[in-house]
């Protein structure tokens, strides 16, 4: 059920070189990652910027140190093999207690995050509100993207889109080549309209805004369009200034571009394992990173709180962050086994970079949660 239909935020006021206007055709079949064989994903999720146009985000000039902590006496080898894990990182109290690599990944390699990117895009909304570029999460989406008027997004607030409660009809079936999530990147946009806006403005409404939760990657792309318009800057450039530099990222990142050369807000930032750990630390520390305050502490508290309940399990949803245990922990999550798990009570961040054979798997998700329980018992 919807715990809070609107984002409960009383927000306090709190160099990238994008790939040059690269215009690409819709992805050829060879690059449709959802339908790659498992062996190719294991090899190529570290090579996405070589295969598809991306914007490059340079490292921070002041990288954040991640000192070693007490090493965990914990055997992760069977789990990593079963889950096809490329990178596993455990940070507690700001110190690295475990760092393991598989599938040939190295500490310098990048790995595609898929929907973990959604949590970064949410953070950029918080930054834009703190900057005054976005007035409020309760503003109507059509105030910033007027081309959406007259369709399913009439009366929809930014908060609805952040919490995936807009009510627009959308199919996120990763194994259906005719689903919206599969067709979204393959449909040529009109020459005079943003590709995301062009696709979403044609969606019908399924429910009134705020009534039901429904996962929708296209809407996080829409959030990206909104942030870029409100700030007047490409998302990668804004991420560089607001997150990558102050959080002290040691490596570059790469953000996938759509057919019009714009960053896809809902997907596909590639970065190295330790920098994904720093993303987790940013959220754990409520944005109070060594380089300054990112967004506001109130933003992070709200965005990572449980606003939507799933009665069938212990998961919930915030503002582009998943929650667990009624909000006691929260996660950034992506298909094929990507996850940043944050446990504030234990001052803990755990990162998984993986190449699952399928986009989603209840069995593998349960196995990963069992591993987390065992890991926490060993801390």
């Amino acid at each position: 059920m919807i715990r809070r239909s609107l984002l409960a935020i009383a927000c306090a006021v709190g160099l990238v070189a994008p790939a040059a206007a690269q215009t690409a055709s819709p992805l050829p079949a060879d690059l449709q990652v959802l339908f790659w064989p498992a062996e190719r994903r294991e090899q190529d999720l570290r090579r996405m910027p070589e295969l598809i146009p991306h914007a490059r985000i340079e490292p921070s000039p002041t990288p954040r140190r991640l000192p070693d902590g007490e090493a965990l006496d914990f055997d992760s080898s069977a789990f990593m093999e079963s889950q096809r894990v490329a990178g596993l990182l455990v940070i507690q109290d700001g110190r690295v207690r475990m760092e393991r690599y598989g599938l040939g990944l190295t500490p310098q390699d990048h790995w595609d995050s898929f929907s973990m990117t959604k949590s970064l895009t949410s953070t950029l909304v918080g930054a834009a509100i703190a900057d005054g570029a976005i007035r409020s999460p309760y503003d109507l989406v059509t105030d910033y993207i007027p081309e959406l008027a007259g369709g399913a997004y009439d009366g929809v607030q930014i908060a609805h889109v952040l919490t995936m409660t807009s009510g627009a009809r959308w199919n996120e079936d990763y194994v259906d080549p005719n689903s919206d999530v599969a067709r979204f990147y393959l449909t040529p946009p009109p020459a005079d309209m943003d590709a995301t806006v062009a696709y979403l403005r044609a969606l019908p409404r399924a429910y009134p805004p705020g009534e039901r939760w429904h996962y929708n990657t296209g809407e996080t792309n829409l959030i990206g369009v909104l942030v870029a318009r409100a700030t007047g800057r490409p998302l990668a450039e804004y991420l560089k200034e607001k997150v990558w530099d102050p959080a002290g990222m040691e490596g570059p990142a790469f953000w996938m571009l759509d057919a019009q050369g714009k960053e896809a807000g809902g997907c596909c930032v590639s970065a190295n394992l330790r920098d994904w750990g720093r993303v987790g630390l940013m959220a754990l520390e409520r944005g109070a990173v060594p380089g300054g305050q990112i967004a506001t502490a109130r933003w992070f508290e709200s965005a990572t709180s449980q606003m939507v309940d799933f009665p069938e399990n212990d998961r919930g949803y915030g503002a582009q962050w998943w929650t667990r245990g009624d909000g006691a922990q929260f996660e950034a999550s992506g298909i094929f086994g990507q996850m940043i798990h944050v446990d504030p009570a234990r001052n803990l961040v755990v990162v998984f970079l993986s190449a699952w054979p399928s986009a989603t798997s209840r069995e593998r998700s349960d196995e990963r949660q069992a591993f987390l329980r065992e890991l926490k018992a060993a801390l």
Side-chain angles (χ1 to χ4, degrees):
M1 71 177 185
I2 305 301
R3 174 172 294 188
R4 280 168 277 175
S5 61
L6 298 179
L7 184 57
I9 299 173
C11 286
V13 175
L15 271 172
V16 67
Q22 300 181 64
T23 301
S25 315
L27 297 181
D30 183 53
L31 295 180
Q32 294 179 32
V33 181
L34 290 175
F35 307 108
W36 278 354
E39 298 78 13
R40 181 168 183 193
R41 272 191 295 274
E42 292 184 6
Q43 294 301 313
D44 282 357
L45 289 186
R46 77 200 72 192
R47 298 182 54 241
M48 296 303 285
E50 302 171 30
L51 304 175
I52 301 170
H54 282 63
R56 180 183 171 96
I57 301 160
E58 297 295 342
S60 170
T62 54
R64 177 177 185 168
R65 289 188 62 249
L66 294 179
D68 291 337
E70 181 182 354
L72 274 173
D73 183 16
F74 189 79
D75 186 1
S76 63
S77 55
F79 169 80
M80 291 182 67
E81 176 62 28
S82 171
Q83 292 261 322
R84 308 307 293 156
V85 173
L88 171 62
L89 181 67
V90 179
I91 303 174
Q92 188 176 35
D93 299 326
R95 295 178 175 271
V96 176
R97 300 199 60 187
M98 178 184 289
E99 184 175 8
R100 305 275 168 79
Y101 293 89
L103 307 183
L105 194 73
T106 73
Q108 290 73 42
D109 286 335
H110 316 99
W111 194 261
D112 198 317
S113 67
F114 293 102
S115 288
M116 290 201 307
T117 296
K118 290 179 169 66
S119 302
L120 289 175
T121 300
S122 169
T123 301
L124 294 185
V125 175
I129 291 173
D131 284 348
I134 295 174
R135 295 181 299 274
S136 165
Y138 307 110
D139 286 352
L140 296 178
V141 173
T142 51
D143 290 346
Y144 297 83
I145 310 174
E147 308 96 294
L148 288 173
Y153 291 92
D154 282 348
V156 171
Q157 299 179 355
I158 296 171
H160 291 131
V161 181
L162 282 167
T163 55
M164 297 202 177
T165 60
S166 74
R169 180 171 295 159
W170 175 269
N171 181 349
E172 188 91 7
D173 187 341
Y174 298 113
V175 298
D176 179 1
N178 294 313
S179 68
D180 290 301
V181 75
R183 292 169 47 228
F184 183 64
Y185 293 108
L186 305 177
T187 303
D192 60 346
M193 186 176 293
D194 178 90
T196 294
V197 174
Y199 194 94
L200 295 190
R201 73 197 294 262
L203 295 178
R205 174 168 286 174
Y207 306 103
E211 183 177 288
R212 298 201 188 187
W213 181 88
H214 187 72
Y215 194 78
N216 184 334
T217 290
E219 288 193 337
T220 317
N221 282 33
L222 192 66
I223 293 170
V225 173
L226 192 150
V227 170
R229 288 199 183 181
T231 62
R233 301 170 65 186
L235 292 182
E237 181 181 299
Y238 202 52
L239 182 71
K240 164 72 172 169
E241 177 188 340
K242 296 299 178 181
V243 175
W244 226 247
D245 279 357
M249 305 306 189
E250 67 180 344
F254 302 87
W255 200 330
M256 187 183 78
L257 300 173
D258 66 17
Q260 295 174 320
K262 299 175 183 177
E263 297 88 344
C267 185
C268 306
V269 168
S270 291
N272 69 43
L273 178 63
R274 284 195 164 213
D275 283 343
W276 288 121
R278 291 179 175 94
V279 171
L281 288 172
M282 171 194 71
L284 175 67
E285 296 162 349
R286 300 295 191 246
V289 295
Q293 181 68 44
I294 295 173
T296 66
R298 185 69 174 270
W299 172 267
F300 282 100
E301 289 166 7
S302 298
T304 60
S305 67
Q306 188 155 307
M307 300 174 196
V308 180
D309 296 323
F310 303 147
E312 67 277 11
N313 56 44
D314 73 337
R315 295 191 84 186
Y317 204 72
Q320 307 287 305
W321 292 88
W322 296 88
T323 61
R324 286 192 183 272
D326 200 37
Q329 300 105 42
F330 56 90
E331 296 165 344
S333 183
I335 57 174
F336 299 112
Q338 323 317 316
M339 179 179 283
I340 302 170
H341 176 86
V342 181
D343 185 340
R346 293 177 172 85
N347 206 23
L348 177 70
V349 172
V350 183
V351 183
F352 302 90
L353 302 179
S354 308
W356 287 0
S358 57
T360 61
S361 167
R362 175 61 64 85
E363 180 182 356
R364 289 186 180 85
S365 293
D366 290 347
E367 182 183 29
R368 185 170 58 190
Q369 287 305 307
F371 176 83
L372 275 169
R373 289 191 294 270
E374 294 172 7
L375 178 71
K376 290 179 183 182
L379 290 174

